[in-house]
Amino acid sequence: KGEEAVSLSDHPHSTGRALKTLSLSYFSEARFATARQTVDACLALIEEKNLRLVEPEVLGPALRIRWYADPGDHGLLDANAFVSRADETGVRQARLHTRSVRLEIAWELGDRDAFARDLAHLKAELLPQHRLTWATVVIFDALQQLRDGRAPDLEQWGAGLPSAHPPAFLPLNWLLARLSSRPDLPADITPTPHEDLWLARLQGHLADTGGLGLDGPEESDAWRQFAEAHPVPPLP
């Protein structure tokens, strides 16, 4: 349906939004390479047609898609450019979303300074009602504390925890269950392949991700190989 929406669109704004939605659909299936091609086409259309109303909606998703399609040391340069671009839009959601993605990238690359800056910024400005972004902040804050050899401070998350409960980001629920004896993943919620990848990482089963129904090497192996080389710290 997403592909049909793109083909039927008769205005640049609707085409841009359809391309963004289609890229997220590909991303949710762990078709990272195809998602990047689609979101890059969306970004090109934004530039060509000056779609400044569409741009704030696309920057955060585009940054995450580009990172998963091609993770590596260049990721923070890409993230810095997207955050600056989001700041220029003046749209709060774009600023928060791009920073939450940069937080993930900084954690993955071990850049403690960049991670600390974005974490402090997001904690000061982010509302728990922004469920997925809040969940991203919480889980990477916890993982950084584990990486530092500290037990994550669950009390610190306070009122944000209910809003970060699934279906915001299922790996967070699994981590909380592990750290605080909360109930495990609800049986009636099926993780997306993106969430399945993170659950496999947290559980130390990354080698088994070939059974998650992901597409071939051209789609997701870059992320899988990066993740294998950058394991999650051991959990208590």
Side-chain angles (χ1 to χ4, degrees):
K1 289 185 177 180
E3 293 168 348
E4 184 180 3
V6 172
S7 65
L8 293 177
S9 173
D10 59 359
H11 189 278
H13 284 88
S14 59
T15 301
R17 290 188 170 95
L19 284 169
K20 181 205 73 171
T21 301
L22 180 59
S23 69
L24 288 173
S25 177
Y26 289 141
F27 181 76
S28 73
E29 298 172 354
R31 296 176 62 183
F32 301 145
T34 300
R36 173 162 186 175
Q37 292 172 1
T38 307
V39 84
D40 281 353
C42 182
L43 291 169
L45 182 66
I46 288 171
E47 287 300 310
E48 178 187 353
K49 301 296 185 180
N50 195 33
L51 305 180
R52 298 311 168 198
L53 293 177
V54 179
E55 182 180 24
E57 306 172 23
V58 176
L59 292 177
L63 177 56
R64 179 167 277 120
I65 288 169
R66 288 165 66 98
W67 166 253
Y68 273 74
D70 185 24
D73 291 340
H74 56 277
L76 272 178
L77 294 176
D78 209 20
N80 292 340
F82 272 75
V83 169
S84 295
R85 188 168 168 179
D87 287 346
E88 291 172 2
T89 70
V91 177
R92 184 174 185 269
Q93 183 174 350
R95 291 190 289 105
L96 294 177
H97 196 174
T98 53
R99 278 178 170 80
S100 74
V101 180
R102 188 169 66 178
L103 182 81
E104 177 179 351
I105 294 172
W107 184 86
E108 291 278 28
L109 295 176
D111 190 320
R112 292 175 176 271
D113 291 340
F115 182 91
R117 285 195 299 271
D118 276 331
L119 184 64
H121 180 101
L122 288 164
K123 282 184 174 180
E125 188 173 359
L126 187 61
L127 297 175
Q129 287 80 2
H130 292 264
R131 292 169 60 87
L132 180 56
T133 304
W134 180 267
T136 302
V137 170
V138 170
I139 194 169
F140 286 105
D141 187 12
L143 290 174
Q144 184 64 58
Q145 292 179 59
L146 288 169
R147 180 175 281 176
D148 292 341
R150 296 180 287 130
D153 182 3
L154 299 182
E155 296 298 326
Q156 170 183 331
W157 297 331
L161 287 180
S163 292
H165 201 70
F169 190 51
L170 287 180
L172 172 60
N173 193 56
W174 185 91
L175 181 63
L176 294 177
R178 181 66 180 265
L179 296 177
S180 61
S181 300
R182 286 175 48 170
D184 211 337
L185 296 179
D188 59 342
I189 295 181
T190 302
T192 66
H194 171 219
E195 292 172 322
D196 259 331
L197 273 178
W198 261 101
L199 287 168
R201 292 193 73 188
L202 289 169
Q203 296 166 7
H205 299 156
L206 195 62
D208 302 331
T209 55
L212 297 177
L214 303 183
D215 283 310
E218 72 280 3
E219 290 286 357
S220 58
D221 263 12
W223 169 250
R224 198 191 323 252
Q225 291 168 10
F226 179 89
E228 288 172 346
H230 298 77
V232 173
L235 302 179

